[in-house]
Amino acid sequence: AQKITQTQPGMFVQEKEAVTLDCTYDTSDPSYGLFWYKQPSSGEMIFLIYQGSYDQQNATEGRYSLNFQKARKSANLVISASQLGDSAMYFCAMRGGMDTGRRALTFGSGTRLQVQP
Amino acid sequence: DAGITQSPRYKITETGRQVTLMCHQTWSHSYMFWYRQDLGHGLRLIYYSAAADITDKGEVPDGYVVSRSKTENFPLTLESATRSQTSVYFCASSGNRGTNEKLFFGSGTQLSVL
């Protein structure tokens, strides 16, 4: 079974500073994918970044980067130069394998980030 | 701009009533999913579908029924609503090319069961 753990229910960061949101995962699949989604107060789910288990480099998308440490089974999201608009709930998720039954993403419980001016 | 749409956006019902939440996508994605979001639990998978007429249970399927007669539609029915089914429901879809296929989500349906 796959499991995603986000141990930070809430975090605060000052505007323009960097912040790291933690995510650890557990899977027995040799091939898997890790995702981060953002959910602002409006409720929609916005895809941010993806990391494949065999990717040699950490994924980056603009101000978002994924600190992938395979041996430690962690996939932390780093947001650089935080903006007020980054205030939202952030979910880590994973998909393991290609079987039909595992095409869904397994989500963590989320971290609520608040950016302070 | 087409995409994935859910209806209704908000729904209030009473215990014991049948409720159907609709989901429609225009990308011809093979996979469709229903999740529920509850505080402290993140998103939990209710049911998923790999193609038309192929559906299977997720983590929390009890009390829910799905169907997928057409690729683009994936309705979720609560046969006899209970208060514990008060939640925000998300429909999502994805292609089937690889592990990196992201899920595209609808805007969600906020359901209250009184």
Side-chain angles (χ1 to χ4, degrees), chain A residues 29-106:
Chain A
D29 292 309
S31 176
Y32 51 89
L34 295 155
F35 301 76
W36 277 91
Y37 279 82
K38 172 184 178 181
Q39 186 181 44
S41 58
S42 54
E44 72 264 36
M45 295 289 288
I46 302 168
F47 167 77
L48 294 178
I49 196 166
Y50 166 82
Q51 177 83 44
S53 59
Y54 289 116
D55 292 344
Q56 294 298 313
Q57 294 187 330
N58 287 342
T60 60
E61 290 285 352
R63 292 186 301 110
Y64 304 108
S65 61
L66 202 152
N67 184 1
F68 180 49
Q69 298 186 47
K70 194 170 183 177
R72 299 181 62 182
K73 293 190 174 180
S74 72
N76 299 338
L77 178 70
V78 180
I79 306 175
S80 63
S82 297
Q83 302 173 356
L84 295 177
D86 294 334
S87 293
M89 181 74 87
Y90 289 81
F91 291 100
C92 181
M94 76 175 295
R95 171 189 290 127
M98 292 291 290
D99 297 343
T100 298
R102 294 189 293 176
R103 297 301 291 165
L105 297 186
T106 299

Side-chain angles (χ1 to χ4, degrees), chain B residues 32-50:
Chain B
M32 295 188 75
F33 312 88
W34 275 106
Y35 287 89
R36 60 177 289 172
Q37 181 179 9
D38 304 288
L39 193 63
H41 291 280
L43 279 74
R44 292 181 291 175
L45 182 67
I46 304 171
Y47 269 95
Y48 66 94
S49 170

